[in-house]
């Protein structure tokens, strides 16, 4: 009888230990899944306005740090190249994505009221000149 009690007690202790180990395993797995979901990948740029394009003026007014990349969509590769040439004349660096006719403009200057106003006037004027559509911005 004593041996049966010891065997039963050992089975209960073994079951409890297995339960604790299993629970820790699943908790760790859930924590990793949450981390993957909640923590952004450091290699990807942080998007500010992903869902819907916002106003260029609003985005420029909300700038607090640089570098920032502004993205514009155009109708053709030729218009994208003209837009890039006009940007370079204003002293702004840009890259063209020829597959979807978009131009990314890099702003890497000091962020203050004067630079924000100048940036808005330059970008808005050039957008109207070549009929570019503002898509959004993201921190570099």
């Amino acid at each position: 009888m004593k041996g049966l009690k010891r065997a039963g007690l050992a089975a209960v202790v073994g079951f409890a230990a297995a339960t604790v180990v299993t629970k820790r395993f699943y908790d760790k797995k859930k924590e990793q899944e949450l981390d993957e979901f909640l923590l952004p990948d450091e290699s990807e740029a942080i998007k500010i306005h992903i869902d819907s394009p916002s106003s260029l003026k609003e985005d420029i007014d909300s700038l607090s740090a640089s570098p920032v990349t502004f993205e514009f969509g155009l109708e053709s590769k030729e218009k994208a190249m003209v837009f890039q040439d006009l940007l370079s004349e204003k002293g702004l660096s840009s890259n063209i994505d020829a597959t979807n006719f978009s131009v990314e403009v890099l702003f890497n200057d000091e962020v203050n009221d004067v630079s924000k106003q100048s940036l808005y006037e330059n970008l808005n004027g050039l957008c109207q000149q070549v009929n570019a559509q503002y898509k959004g911005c993201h921190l570099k």
Side-chain angles (χ1 to χ4, degrees), residues 45-49 54-72 87 91-95 103-112 115-116 119 123 134-140:
I46 299 173
K47 299 281 184 178
I48 295 176
H49 295 287
S54 63
S55 163
L56 176 63
K57 179 73 171 156
E58 290 172 4
D59 282 349
I60 290 176
D61 286 342
S62 69
L63 286 180
S64 60
S66 66
V68 178
T69 302
F70 297 92
E71 188 173 348
F72 299 90
L87 288 165
L92 296 168
S93 345
S94 60
N95 294 318
V103 175
E104 289 186 341
V105 180
L106 178 65
F107 177 72
N108 199 19
D109 292 342
E110 181 181 343
V111 177
N112 57 40
S115 65
K116 287 180 185 180
L119 178 65
L123 290 178
Y134 177 61
K135 292 184 175 182
C137 70
H138 58 273
L139 298 173
K140 202 64 171 155

Side-chain angles (χ1 to χ4, degrees), residues 31-32 35 45 56 60 79 86 111 115 117:
E31 184 179 327
Q32 287 175 344
D35 285 347
L56 176 63
I60 290 176
K79 283 195 174 189
L86 293 170
V111 177
S115 65
Q117 184 63 31

Side-chain angles (χ1 to χ4, degrees), residues 11-29:
V12 169
V13 170
F15 180 74
T19 303
V20 168
V21 169
T22 304
K23 182 173 179 353
R24 284 189 181 172
F25 172 76
Y26 282 114
D27 286 348
K28 192 172 189 179
K29 185 176 177 182

Side-chain angles (χ1 to χ4, degrees), residues 78-92:
E78 292 77 26
K79 283 195 174 189
M81 292 173 68
V82 169
F83 188 54
Q84 186 178 34
D85 290 341
L86 293 170
L87 288 165
S88 66
E89 289 174 8
K90 299 286 185 181
L92 296 168

